[in-house]
Amino acid sequence: MKLKSLFAVAALAAGSSAAQAQDLNITVTNLTQAIYFTPLITAAHTADNQMFSSGTAASTQLQAMAEGGDISGLSTLLTGVSADINENPAGGLLAPAMSTSFMLTNSENNDYLSLAAMILPSNDGFVGLDSWMIPEEAGTYTLYLNAYDAGTEANNELVVEGSGAPGVAGIPAAPGGDAGTGGTGVTSSEGNTMVHIHRGNLGDDNLTGGSSDLTNNVHRWLNPVAKITIVVM
């Protein structure tokens, strides 16, 4: 009986250790035709600390990321709650059809995984993963990620000439160099000011005018926009 008890204690200790800290090998793939992701921020955190949440107003830190690709504010917030963070694993923009891989170890109580990056070109669109519970069981897990609208800026689809992320009002210039000019603006206001699923770029077929500076057969997308593969070790 004592020997069995020792084995039971050892098994319990091993399971507890696995739940407290796990090495995660993460790969993010851009599934779009012509949309780029700004530097990614990925974090393991507690259930009480979310990077974003659908149906709620965006924080100023989320707004900075969604409108200009600036992840520094989110990084500061996450550091303040002892989250485990990986920043900018691609070393800049993640281009269409490209992947980036990185390691992340979630420490005790950081049982939820989140990710965010601005999508270009867009006004305040971002790819996101909201509080996915990290499995205790080792294995490979694949998720498909949607594009969200931060609800903080009108989706006018106008390119600010000579601009680019981070921190510029309006849409940063399309990294692919395939945007138009002279658009009048798709809209000047939005009815939904909460974080929500993005409607996608509308675009048009006029490269020197029309309502949008984006091209309808290039810059449109359908969800999901990214694939994330998580290997729990």
Side-chain angles (χ1 to χ4, degrees):
M1 292 294 292
K2 288 184 179 180
L3 187 58
K4 287 184 179 179
S5 296
L6 286 173
F7 281 144
V9 169
L12 180 62
S16 176
S17 174
Q20 290 178 3
Q22 296 159 292
D23 289 327
L24 310 176
N25 188 336
I26 299 172
T27 299
V28 179
T29 302
N30 183 338
L31 299 178
T32 71
Q33 171 186 252
I35 301 298
Y36 290 72
F37 302 160
T38 62
L40 294 158
I41 181 165
T42 307
H45 54 85
T46 65
D48 297 330
N49 297 292
Q50 291 176 279
M51 199 181 295
F52 70 95
S53 180
S54 295
T56 64
S59 65
T60 56
Q61 294 82 3
L62 186 75
Q63 179 178 1
M65 181 278 301
E67 291 185 11
D70 182 1
I71 58 176
S72 62
L74 287 175
S75 179
T76 298
L77 280 181
L78 291 163
T79 299
V81 294
S82 301
D84 303 300
I85 308 169
N86 183 287
E87 300 178 50
N88 194 16
L93 299 180
L94 186 63
M98 299 302 292
S99 298
T100 183
S101 297
F102 53 95
M103 294 294 299
L104 183 70
T105 299
N106 68 310
S107 53
E108 185 176 3
N109 298 323
N110 287 339
D111 299 328
Y112 292 84
L113 189 70
S114 292
L115 171 150
M118 182 186 184
I119 55 178
L120 297 176
S122 77
N123 287 87
D124 60 342
F126 67 98
V127 56
L129 173 65
D130 176 26
S131 302
W132 180 71
M133 189 170 187
I134 301 168
E136 292 185 13
E137 184 176 351
T140 300
Y141 302 85
T142 299
L143 307 170
Y144 291 89
L145 309 183
N146 290 327
Y148 291 87
D149 190 316
T152 57
E153 186 176 356
N155 296 319
N156 58 24
E157 300 186 12
L158 298 181
V159 171
V160 179
E161 190 171 348
S163 71
V168 211
I171 288 187
D178 41 20
T181 59
T184 58
V186 171
T187 184
S188 60
S189 63
E190 298 290 344
N192 190 347
T193 58
M194 301 298 163
V195 176
H196 59 280
I197 294 294
H198 205 292
R199 61 159 167 73
N201 291 329
L202 299 180
D204 59 33
D205 58 2
N206 188 339
L207 291 177
T208 58
S211 60
S212 175
D213 286 338
L214 305 185
T215 309
N216 56 13
N217 63 352
V218 175
H219 299 116
R220 297 188 72 169
W221 74 77
L222 295 174
N223 280 320
V225 295
K227 179 175 75 172
I228 181 170
T229 302
I230 304 141
V231 180
V232 179
M233 300 178 181

